[in-house]
Amino acid sequence: MLDLFAFFHLNLAFSSIEEEQRSEVIQKCYWPMLNLACEEKIPIGVEASGYTLEVIESLDPGWISTLCDLCDQNIVDFIGCGYVQLIGPLVPAEVNAANLRIGNKVYERLLGFRPEIALVNEQAYSEGLLQHYLDAGFKVIIMEWNNPSRFHPEWNPEWRYLPQAAINQHGEKISLIWNESIAFQKFQRYVHGEIELNEYLKHLEQQLGDTPRAFCLYGNDAEIFDFRPGRFQTEAVLREGGEWKRIAKLLRHLSNDAQFQFIHASSVLDLIKQPNSLNPLALESPEQPVPVKKQEKYNLTRWAVTGLNDLRVNTDCWQIYHSLTDNCEATEENWKELCYLWSSDFRTHITPKRLKNYLQRLGNFKYKMLSQPKHNCFADGKTVLETTHSPSGINSSSQLHKPKGNTYTIVTNGRFLHVESQHINLILNCRKGLAIHSLRFDDVCSTPLIKTIPHGYYDDISMGADFYSGHLIFEIPGKPKITDLEPVTPVIDEICRGLIIVSGSIFTPLGQIKKKIFVGIDAQNKPYVKIFYKLNWGKKPIGSLRLGAVTLNPEAFDADSLFYATHNGGYDIEKFFLNGRVVSHGAPPSFLVSASHGLGVTADMVVLGDQKKQIYLNIQKSLCSAIGLITHRNVRPNFFSRHIFSLVEMDETSDRGIGSVANSFPMEFVVKISAGKGF
């Protein structure tokens, strides 16, 4: 016998549903769902954010009362997710904690209890989130099987039918129940009339086995039955007779079949004594550090750097976040508002009317919370980008420049500009937009850790190119790519304490790129290089905009212990080993979608390196909320490994003709590069 369970995800913040349609959604979708459970006496799960329950309470308080009654009668299992549906791996740890904390307060107020089961929002999981769920009192999470298992071929396929345990970097565990994207998509297709009953039953019968097992029949949106949000032109037409009635008919058919039995999601835990249960599983992987539900076009970039202006609104939210953490008088209502503004649905198929209202609300709250915006690049705690200095043009191949304090030697040699001190050796390629030809940190390694890998280095003809560092690439569908790899005449500035600035301008069809390279010593007496970009492009482009590339010198690192590390919404850093892996976060899964995976970088840092030496990449999310992309593969004579930041990616949410709202995006970006030992 196969135990079946189902839960319905309720979301009145649904991107393409207008606020005035919410009462209609409650009547057409939410009431039929509760009536189905009540009339058929079939256990179901109901999952909703605290915000969705607050809206329902304001529009139809009787629905909340009925939900509570059905929970008391054990007909409905309530599943939580936090105050709003936000993408945990993209927001700071304190915001994730606040979202779950505030959500629990709303659940307790409206339902009289705090749920013990949580659905991971959009099934976007990182190991750093696990601690938040434990801290908030959750005993179980629901996560999709399909994507994590794809990159864990060592997993036993039978594990998908039994409760398991998700484990984080510290060995902490939480019970795990599986959702199934293929299963809920099959369910939707049947209810929408796209497949017939015999075809659907064939899929279910494939899940039968000789041992006790449970399977998630459905775990997705409730608003797509007997209502069409209008997200896609290809949405199925509404079926005559009612889709909730079709669901009820299907559930009756299955409950009368001796092969199946309906249970609550929480009852899946009754199978923990079965063999193959409660295996401690790391759901993440180097290839997919943040698993997300459904096919690969649904990935972390979807809420980070696509949409109409995701980069802009995420950057604004980061600025508000810093204002709250810096303000000891910030209230719980302030944190609640920030959680609301970070909701995922404002970043995908948001309607023009709702987007306009959202941007106004975001702008008003930002103005209220920020004493002054911070849009400048900082070095040694001082604003330096707007400071004017007397330029020292380099026209001679032997010209030297020796500033006071931390002494540098600056020499031009053909197309290369050398900046050297007792701690650092930087070579910039002036014919390629001040790209980093090589970068050596003498206190860490006598070999350059970062470099441009020249054409012909790799045996594989598919790698027959120059692989630069510290450059920009913008790819436009159907058009030649735009880069900053153009000749520049560098200008050298000097400010106090031996900070060197090398500047250059590149002109592109989209407008001017101003680029500045800072070389200095930070407050911890560590040498660094900063790359600063200002894009005078006028509007947000459609395409893939990536910059600040760091290409590792394969001759400087130990391939066996090579790793990358960053934060993805948790308090602690997450570490991923690369040896033997093929990682390609920036690879397009389709012509319409430009990237497959990404890194949240929610503590402003990415680490690359091996057990003895590391490169540290620090950015300012409140200046520009970029995400990270890793590429790695073994290729003779050793390996290719690179990290690059993404400011803009492309998917079906990117351009829907909504106009000027898409034209504002952060024009400035800075990454600080330093090095260390023994991470």
Side-chain angles (χ1 to χ4, degrees), residues 12 17-31 55 58-60:
L12 282 180
I17 296 177
E18 300 286 7
E19 291 187 20
E20 55 267 28
Q21 294 179 293
R22 290 173 173 175
S23 293
E24 182 183 1
V25 170
I26 295 170
Q27 290 300 317
K28 290 186 175 180
C29 305
Y30 297 174
W31 273 113
V55 174
S58 69
L59 296 174
D60 193 342

Side-chain angles (χ1 to χ4, degrees), residues 449-463:
L449 298 180
I450 298 169
K451 66 182 298 184
T452 292
I453 299 179
H455 172 262
Y457 180 86
Y458 294 109
D459 293 343
D460 191 333
I461 188 61
S462 69
M463 302 289 287

Side-chain angles (χ1 to χ4, degrees), residues 159-178:
W159 294 352
R160 71 199 296 178
Y161 302 110
L162 296 167
Q164 304 298 338
I167 187 170
N168 70 4
Q169 60 268 59
H170 303 300
E172 296 172 304
K173 300 176 185 178
I174 192 168
S175 296
L176 170 66
I177 296 172
W178 296 115

Side-chain angles (χ1 to χ4, degrees), residues 22 42 60 65 72 79-81 201 219 235 256 297 426 489 510 533 611 620 628 644:
R22 290 173 173 175
I42 293 175
D60 193 342
S65 298
D72 289 342
I79 299 164
C81 73
L201 292 177
E235 285 180 337
N256 292 327
K297 68 178 182 177
L426 171 66
T489 300
L510 291 177
Y533 279 96
Q611 62 182 349
Q620 298 176 22
I644 195 166

Side-chain angles (χ1 to χ4, degrees), residues 483-648:
T483 77
D484 64 347
L485 298 171
E486 301 292 339
V488 300
T489 300
V491 175
I492 297 179
D493 293 347
E494 168 197 352
I495 68 170
C496 62
R497 299 179 184 176
L499 178 65
I500 300 299
I501 308 174
V502 182
S503 305
S505 295
I506 300 97
F507 295 89
T508 76
L510 291 177
Q512 183 189 44
I513 298 173
K514 289 187 176 181
K515 188 173 183 179
K516 297 191 178 186
I517 311 293
F518 298 79
V519 187
I521 302 290
D522 65 17
Q524 287 74 43
N525 204 35
K526 291 184 177 181
Y528 68 83
V529 170
K530 280 187 180 180
I531 307 173
F532 172 79
Y533 279 96
K534 184 170 185 179
L535 309 180
N536 295 319
W537 285 3
K539 65 177 182 178
K540 172 183 173 290
I542 301 299
S544 173
L545 175 59
R546 302 171 184 177
L547 44 66
V550 166
T551 306
L552 297 187
N553 178 5
E555 296 171 8
F557 291 93
D558 169 45
D560 291 339
S561 61
L562 196 68
F563 71 90
Y564 72 87
T566 193
H567 295 75
N568 293 304
Y571 291 111
D572 298 319
I573 200 162
E574 303 171 23
K575 192 173 183 179
F576 301 88
F577 287 96
L578 290 167
N579 186 35
R581 301 286 193 160
V582 178
V583 179
S584 189
H585 296 165
S590 71
F591 180 78
L592 184 61
V593 180
S594 59
S596 302
H597 308 287
L599 308 178
V601 198
T602 54
D604 289 357
M605 180 178 69
V606 177
V607 184
L608 309 168
D610 60 25
Q611 62 182 349
K612 294 183 178 180
K613 51 196 171 301
Q614 299 84 41
I615 292 291
Y616 296 88
L617 308 177
N618 292 91
I619 62 173
Q620 298 176 22
K621 299 279 276 193
S622 58
L623 176 72
C624 181
S625 182
I627 62 169
L629 306 174
I630 293 286
T631 301
H632 176 84
R633 58 179 287 199
N634 290 340
V635 55
R636 289 182 300 179
N638 31 52
F639 64 82
F640 173 75
S641 196
R642 167 188 274 179
H643 176 275
I644 195 166
F645 289 100
S646 172
L647 273 61
V648 179

Side-chain angles (χ1 to χ4, degrees), residues 389-416:
H389 305 286
S390 299
S392 300
I394 299 181
N395 301 313
S396 168
S397 62
S398 61
Q399 188 169 356
L400 299 178
H401 187 80
K402 294 184 178 180
K404 299 177 181 179
N406 183 44
T407 303
Y408 293 89
T409 300
I410 303 176
V411 181
T412 57
N413 183 6
R415 67 184 186 275
F416 297 119

Side-chain angles (χ1 to χ4, degrees), residues 99-215:
N99 189 49
L100 294 177
R101 179 181 70 246
I102 295 168
N104 276 339
K105 292 179 181 178
V106 175
Y107 295 142
E108 195 162 38
R109 178 176 67 84
L110 294 180
L111 304 179
F113 63 89
R114 296 185 177 190
E116 294 188 345
I117 303 177
L119 177 69
V120 177
N121 289 327
E122 294 289 4
Q123 309 286 259
Y125 173 88
S126 71
E127 64 176 332
L129 298 184
L130 193 152
Q131 182 182 348
H132 295 305
Y133 289 110
L134 292 174
D135 290 348
F138 288 100
K139 308 298 184 185
V140 187
I141 61 170
I142 298 176
M143 179 58 194
E144 188 223 46
W145 160 270
N146 309 81
N147 275 282
S149 65
R150 174 187 173 193
F151 293 105
H152 286 284
E154 74 279 8
W155 289 4
N156 184 338
E158 290 296 305
W159 294 352
R160 71 199 296 178
Y161 302 110
L162 296 167
Q164 304 298 338
I167 187 170
N168 70 4
Q169 60 268 59
H170 303 300
E172 296 172 304
K173 300 176 185 178
I174 192 168
S175 296
L176 170 66
I177 296 172
W178 296 115
N179 191 10
E180 284 263 355
S181 285
I182 296 297
F184 74 63
Q185 289 172 335
K186 287 283 189 183
F187 185 96
Q188 289 171 189
R189 290 184 180 193
Y190 168 71
V191 175
H192 288 165
E194 297 175 22
I195 61 175
E196 299 304 322
L197 181 61
N198 61 343
E199 186 177 352
Y200 179 72
L201 292 177
K202 183 178 179 180
H203 172 71
L204 274 188
E205 289 167 356
Q206 291 173 350
Q207 317 307 323
L208 293 167
D210 298 329
T211 57
R213 55 180 55 197
F215 186 72

